[in-house]
């Protein structure tokens, strides 16, 4: 993560992809509280840079919110 952040800048799509993968990993480990901030931050970045990939993050976030309810 630090390498991507240093090379591409925090608000790059590359960092967003890493954040998304971290969030999804925590989600699959059933650690919803850790997963949510990574997914939300990824979505924030992707909304500004790579809107076509944001559907994937939204899909995981929707599953997360269903599990939390």
């Amino acid at each position: 993560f630090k390498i991507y952040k240093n090379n591409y800048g925090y608000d790059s799509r590359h960092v967003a992809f890493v954040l998304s993968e971290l969030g999804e990993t925590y989600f699959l480990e059933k650690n919803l509280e850790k997963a949510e901030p990574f997914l939300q931050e990824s979505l924030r970045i992707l909304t500004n840079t790579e809107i076509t990939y944001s559907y994937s993050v939204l899909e995981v976030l929707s599953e997360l919110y269903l599990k939390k309810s």
Side-chain angles (χ1 to χ4, degrees):
F1 172 73
K2 289 180 183 181
I3 293 170
Y4 278 88
K5 187 173 78 171
N6 290 338
N7 286 335
Y8 298 109
Y10 187 77
D11 284 336
S12 73
R13 65 185 174 96
H14 303 288
V15 169
F17 295 151
V18 172
L19 291 170
S20 173
E21 292 300 318
L22 285 169
E24 190 168 353
T25 299
Y26 283 124
F27 173 77
L28 293 172
E29 292 176 345
K30 298 182 181 12
N31 192 338
L32 305 182
E33 297 306 315
K34 273 193 160 181
E36 188 174 5
F38 286 109
L39 294 167
Q40 288 176 336
E41 186 61 13
S42 174
L43 182 61
R44 183 195 67 78
I45 294 169
L46 288 171
T47 299
N48 295 324
T49 59
E50 187 78 28
I51 196 74
T52 56
Y53 186 74
S54 62
Y55 77 91
S56 177
V57 179
L58 286 168
E59 185 178 25
V60 178
L61 268 173
S62 66
E63 290 180 43
L64 182 142
Y65 292 138
L66 283 173
K67 287 188 183 276
K68 285 179 83 172
S69 62

